[in-house]
Amino acid sequence: MSPQQGQGAHLLLVDDDDDLLRLLSMRLSANGYRVTAVGSAEAALARLSIELPRLVISDIRLPDRDGMALFQEIRRSYPALPVILLTAHGTIPDAVEATTLGAYAYLTKPFDAKLLLERIAQALSLAAPAARATDGDEQWRAAIISRSQCMDELLAEARLVAASDASILIRGESGTGKELLAQAIHRASRRAQAPFIAVNCGAIPEALLESELFGHVKGAYTGAVSSREGLLQAADGGTLFLDEIGDMPLLLQVKLLRVLQERVVRQLGSDVARPVDVRILSATHRDLDAAMHEGQFREDLYYRLNVITLTLPPLAQRREDIAPMATQFLHALAAKYGKTVHGFAPDALEALTTSAWPGNVRQLYNVVEHVCALATAPLVPLSLIQRALRVPSLEVLSYNEARRRFERNYLVQLLKLTDGNVADAARLAERNRTEFYRLLQKHELDASLFRGDVATERQDDPLKNQ
């Protein structure tokens, strides 16, 4: 990768030498990079929480905490983010230690500008592109709507591991979008033009699941009237996604392990083993570690599938993604149902972003579909959101309005109780008649309408009820 190919990449510079920081910023900006420069480790960590760069260039000696501590914090929180360290002669041992711990490179001051540009280009060529890359290459994750930092970091790791053929275990709560992430990894891999096949191991009975995965020959069992290839063969050259892998029966776990070890598939009823080239991605919302220790999941298969683990955060941990997701869902569903719904009222959007979402993204989609189907106005109101979420409508009233409503309801109850007799109602309220009449006028209540004979007359004469 040449420096020109890295143009536009976002770099974070960390150094307490203002002159060097200014010089480096100018030089890197002149070479097409977008540069953020800060003078301390704390400022660097703050910037990382706002926007993830493609590369960090940091001095080892910093005023608040040293660059080694900063580097270790970056490695813990952002393991796919490359770091280049700048060091004076006295800190070379620290820099060497850092490279053994995963720093991409170190340069001693004063350093050659051309060498720095070469190191930057090399690091960018090996690192995962940022999830919000500006080069337009986002089709691989187009179905995943995100603006949150935690999802950006996850997608950066996913893009990085997609280039390998390693098995990946995707963890996450139900409804977080594990299959969408698996599809994105497939699209970012060298297998993108080959099949992507998904199967839910928990939704198919054991006998059928074995036939679905491995196929069968004619006569292999009662009802097998013809031979049929399994999903492992159908996914040859591509990716097989095994959702809810934790629900796979132990017998099939043994057979799947043999496929991963030997790269061959034997159909039910056949003695012929056929080679297969397939990448396995799996997902679960179960605790596989606990299942393994309880003997419900094979340890050898666990380590075969869990070469790399990616964990999807629950929707409640990525609330900044809720509004763009809900809006995109609404636009797509409005087109599907032929509705002229353009968006959400501000209080409706606030209710969406502050809800608990135990069902995660799947629940959000269902709620948006619910309100879209019932919407009768261009903006979805709060009441529809509350109905879809099955939460009681909570109307926050001012003190004066709450007092007015209580006062009116109280007067209505007294008039009903006394059949519209103002004297009796005033006595029950412990108010004189003049004051009570004033209250009735204030709320525009006519005591005569509560008298029994009037009420009976209104019920008997349908025209008076109109």
Side-chain angles (χ1 to χ4, degrees), residues 108-123:
T108 56
K109 299 179 182 179
F111 48 82
D112 180 77
K114 183 179 179 181
L115 180 60
L116 175 62
L117 291 173
E118 289 177 357
R119 291 289 184 270
I120 291 173
Q122 291 166 359

Side-chain angles (χ1 to χ4, degrees), residues 92-109:
I92 288 179
D94 288 337
V96 172
E97 179 189 356
T99 57
T100 64
L101 295 175
Y104 179 75
Y106 72 90
L107 298 176
T108 56
K109 299 179 182 179

